[in-house]
Amino acid sequence: MSVAPLQAAHPVPYGQLVPVTVHFDDLDALGMLHNSRYPLLAERAWAEYWHGQGFGFDGDWAAAGDMCNVIKEMRVSYERPVTRPGHYAAHLWVERLGRTGLTYGFRLCSADGTETYAQGHRVLVRVDAQTLRPTPWSDRARAIAAELLRPADPDGGTGTEADAA
């Protein structure tokens, strides 16, 4: 199943808005989205995005290609609580695209992209299924990731603290 990107009334200036759903059982005892669910929603949104681009994993790591990757780092900053189930969005983009590494940015937000609940990044490293050593991304994955690159700040950086391998 693939989820189409959202067509927000206020489009994001870079990256992609992917719909996510918060269910009642995602809320904690205080009626707020549990802290572990924010990165889970971002992970699921990225999986849906890549699946929609024709990438997937069917249990065979040797055949997984670019989907055979590991998370080197993940950071999440919680800005405000999600206090009810419903439809939200994950704003996804690429901060840095290296030879074997990739830094994704994400923001969990309202469905229209105007309100931010959490934001962060994760650093992925593509690995060879046999050796588990870093290996280069395919040209196809690089081209798709390049479409999501966040424009550089005027200072020459992207505003991210972490860099991929």
Side-chain angles (χ1 to χ4, degrees):
M1 174 170 115
S2 178
V3 175
L6 290 172
Q7 300 300 318
H10 307 283
V12 291
Y14 54 87
Q16 193 83 185
L17 279 181
V18 175
V20 296
T21 301
V22 172
H23 299 277
F24 176 77
D25 60 355
D26 292 323
L27 305 180
D28 65 15
L30 298 174
M32 295 185 290
L33 183 62
H34 190 275
N35 63 12
S36 68
R37 298 297 192 185
Y38 291 83
L40 179 67
L41 289 171
E43 294 277 342
R44 287 179 178 166
W46 275 113
E48 288 294 330
Y49 177 80
W50 282 106
H51 186 265
Q53 300 297 317
F55 291 83
F57 174 69
D58 65 4
D60 180 1
W61 285 113
D66 293 292
M67 297 305 285
C68 187
N69 56 68
V70 295
I71 297 176
K72 179 179 178 181
E73 174 183 311
M74 184 160 202
R75 180 188 62 79
V76 179
S77 175
Y78 302 94
E79 307 299 329
R80 57 185 287 204
V82 170
T83 58
R84 60 181 44 151
H87 300 287
Y88 296 87
H91 176 196
L92 309 176
W93 65 89
V94 172
E95 290 284 348
R96 182 182 180 280
L97 176 57
R99 190 175 74 80
T100 63
L102 176 70
T103 302
Y104 285 135
F106 65 89
R107 186 172 63 93
L108 292 171
C109 54
S110 55
D112 66 1
T114 60
E115 296 180 59
T116 299
Y117 298 100
Q119 57 189 332
H121 72 258
R122 71 179 182 159
V123 179
L124 291 178
V125 177
R126 180 169 182 222
V127 295
D128 178 91
Q130 298 297 320
T131 66
L132 300 181
R133 301 291 305 153
T135 193
W137 299 103
S138 70
D139 290 341
R140 182 166 171 258
R142 293 181 64 74
I144 292 168
E147 293 176 11
L148 295 178
L149 275 170
R150 178 179 177 177
D153 290 341
D155 303 343
T158 58
T160 184
E161 298 123 35
D163 249 7

